[in-house]
Amino acid sequence: MILKDSLYTIEGQQSGEGTIVYDIRLQPDHTIYRAHFPGEPITPGVCVIQIAKELLEHHLQQPLAIKAVKNVKFLAVVSPLEHPSVRYTFRQLQQAPDAVTAQVDVTDGDTTMTSISFTCG
């Protein structure tokens, strides 16, 4: 399931000095939030990871599949009501012929909500 332009939209993109940054806006009226959880929507962890993969696809302009997730730390709830705009910062992006690895931090201001290390191919 592609979440771009339904669960979230890209508000801005920048890159430089070994980082790629995407600012996104979550859509609180999306169907996922009606189930998770009505009245107090929370972005499911699997969606937070899927968004990271889709943003990496957007940056590289190629389809990817998640091959491995080495480490995920959910440090704060990603709520479209409390945090309608969040930032995905990709660091340590390494490309090989058959894989791309990255460290991704999902933040709102100074608050890190999720930290992900994953490999896509």
Side-chain angles (χ1 to χ4, degrees), residues 4-105:
K4 183 176 173 283
D5 297 326
S6 64
L7 181 67
Y8 72 95
T9 56
I10 297 172
E11 292 189 314
Q13 172 188 2
Q14 53 189 328
S15 59
E17 296 192 38
T19 63
I20 304 157
V21 177
Y22 279 92
D23 292 312
I24 67 164
R25 176 163 294 278
L26 298 170
Q27 304 300 320
D29 59 340
H30 192 276
T31 305
I32 286 173
Y33 292 126
R34 286 188 214 130
H36 201 269
F37 295 99
E40 293 188 37
I42 296 172
T43 308
V46 68
C47 292
V48 173
I49 296 168
Q50 175 69 17
I51 292 169
K53 185 213 49 129
E54 289 182 17
L55 294 174
L56 190 56
E57 287 177 324
H58 185 269
H59 175 73
L60 297 174
Q61 293 296 298
Q62 68 182 44
L64 297 170
I66 296 173
K67 294 176 113 179
V69 179
K70 290 186 178 182
N71 193 10
V72 179
K73 293 179 184 175
F74 296 105
L75 305 168
V77 172
V78 180
S79 165
L81 299 179
E82 293 178 33
H83 311 282
S85 294
V86 296
R87 175 169 281 183
Y88 277 69
T89 303
F90 293 79
R91 297 178 284 105
Q92 300 176 9
L93 187 66
Q94 297 178 2
Q95 290 182 262
D98 63 340
V100 179
T101 60
Q103 169 69 39
V104 186
D105 291 319

